[in-house]
Amino acid sequence: MSKTRVFRFAPSPNGLLHLGHALSAMLNHDLAAACGGRFLLRIEDIDPARSRPEFEAAIYRDLAWLGLSWEQPVRRQSEHLAFYGKALERLKAMGVLYPGFLSRGEVKARVEAREKAGGAWPRDPDGAPLYPTEERHLDRDEAQARIAAGHRHAWRLDMEKARALAPAVLDWQEAGEGPEGETGTVTARPERWGDVILSRPDAPASYHLAVVLDDAAQGVTDVVRGQDLFHATAVHRLLQSLLGLPAPRYRHHGLVPGPDGKKLSKSNRDTGIAAYREKGFLPPDIRALLAGYGLVLH
Ligand code: GLU
């Protein structure tokens, strides 16, 4: 007997769901239904500064209106901080984390100085400058003293050390495609992200850490999500490898274009699922709208 497949839709309650979320949620739901699999909903409220109960309530309302149903109880990341904390301690014990003390302003100043001098500063797949690597080798006692003195810091992954601990070839199975049409066996290049944050004082687990731990804890076999997270999969594969977690199959889908051809944003009320509902649209109209963008719902 083949294993029951487990799909999940994992929104963050920091804004209203838009058409892109509708696509992700319906794809996950329909793919699960087509293979007799399970469909889970996970609330990714790991960042307390950005998560709001009213957005969580809107998620349930919008998904129910779309005609979707999901298993109970819903996992909420804010209820599993100790679980993420344990994994963080394991990574610290492996020696692949270090405290980074540089502020955003300090990083910006370094980038600007280098670029003014005609040099190039490496950037991640989203275009953000990589964090400087100078603190990787900061003296342990000095780092401890700074932490004890209350200096603001984030725990960062030493990408070089982490990469060295993982298999030389790290890849994933892509059933959808990346922004450049990448599909099939895709080589993960987590080093493109530099020393990513895994924990900050105000958000004890980063998206990257919580997502891989939850996918494994919930037995997720299939991760179906927007292409904007395609490159992040490389970091997820690295963390799965370090923590001995299984690799799900991935399927990244195309993004729904905004009215101005730009990326849809949760802060734009006009393209929210609720706005369509208020304008008199019905769920089949939403499916037709998505199909009109060439986004296939199967
Ligand atoms: N919580 C993430 C978001 O809303 C999605 C996580 C995922 O699907 O891996 O963008």
Side-chain angles (χ1 to χ4, degrees):
M1 222 179 73
S2 64
K3 211 172 121 209
T4 303
R5 288 166 67 180
V6 182
F7 294 76
R8 91 308 192 263
F9 175 55
S12 306
N14 54 19
L16 292 169
L17 298 188
H18 55 57
L19 279 183
H21 296 104
L23 175 62
S24 269
M26 292 194 290
L27 256 180
N28 273 291
H29 176 271
D30 293 4
L31 287 165
C35 68
R38 297 169 57 199
F39 172 59
L40 311 179
L41 171 63
R42 182 168 73 225
I43 300 293
E44 299 213 322
D45 58 349
I46 196 70
D47 187 342
R50 302 183 65 212
S51 302
R52 300 261 183 284
E54 60 270 29
F55 291 133
E56 185 176 332
I59 289 172
Y60 300 135
R61 201 163 50 236
D62 289 346
L63 296 182
W65 177 73
L66 284 171
L68 309 187
S69 54
W70 52 90
E71 286 184 20
Q72 298 291 342
V74 167
R75 186 178 177 92
R76 299 169 75 238
Q77 290 187 326
S78 57
E79 292 167 1
H80 298 276
L81 302 186
F83 172 60
Y84 309 132
K86 266 193 208 144
L88 201 71
E89 290 310 315
R90 268 183 66 197
L91 292 169
K92 276 185 200 167
M94 290 166 74
V96 293
L97 299 189
Y98 69 89
F101 296 96
L102 296 176
S103 67
R104 234 176 249 219
E106 286 169 318
V107 175
K108 196 164 166 244
R110 279 168 175 69
V111 175
E112 280 172 6
R114 168 95 57 94
E115 289 181 343
K116 243 191 214 142
W121 190 281
R123 289 179 184 261
D124 70 23
D126 287 344
L130 299 196
Y131 190 77
T133 56
E134 63 197 49
E135 294 169 315
R136 282 179 180 172
H137 307 292
L138 195 67
D139 179 71
R140 264 171 176 263
D141 293 339
E142 191 187 330
Q144 272 315 323
R146 282 205 215 171
I147 292 172
H151 283 259
R152 220 188 130 74
H153 63 284
W155 287 95
R156 289 186 174 267
L157 190 67
D158 179 330
M159 190 50 81
E160 204 173 83
K161 275 196 191 158
R163 198 62 197 81
L165 284 186
V169 179
L170 198 60
D171 52 30
W172 79 84
Q173 289 310 312
E174 175 64 46
E177 62 175 29
E180 312 285 326
E182 303 92 329
T183 191
T185 304
V186 177
T187 302
R189 292 199 288 134
E191 53 283 353
R192 292 179 68 191
W193 292 95
D195 293 355
V196 289
I197 291 186
L198 293 194
S199 165
R200 301 188 312 234
D202 52 342
S206 70
Y207 156 64
H208 296 308
L209 182 61
V211 85
V212 297
L213 289 167
D214 284 345
D215 283 339
Q218 296 189 287
V220 169
T221 59
D222 292 79
V223 170
V224 179
R225 59 187 178 193
Q227 240 166 32
D228 51 338
L229 291 171
F230 178 81
H231 289 297
T233 311
V235 175
H236 302 168
R237 288 292 300 114
L238 176 60
L239 291 174
Q240 285 157 355
S241 165
L242 293 173
L243 293 165
L245 307 174
R249 267 183 295 267
Y250 289 88
R251 177 189 289 260
H252 292 90
H253 61 72
L255 300 178
V256 179
D260 49 2
K262 294 212 191 86
K263 212 176 134 175
L264 280 183
S265 129
K266 276 186 179 162
S267 52
N268 188 344
R269 285 197 72 93
D270 300 341
T271 52
I273 298 173
Y276 283 100
R277 183 169 63 238
E278 282 152 23
K279 277 187 272 187
F281 279 59
L282 294 171
D285 303 326
I286 301 288
R287 285 186 182 259
L289 205 59
L290 293 170
Y293 288 120
L295 297 159
V296 196
L297 276 166
H298 57 71

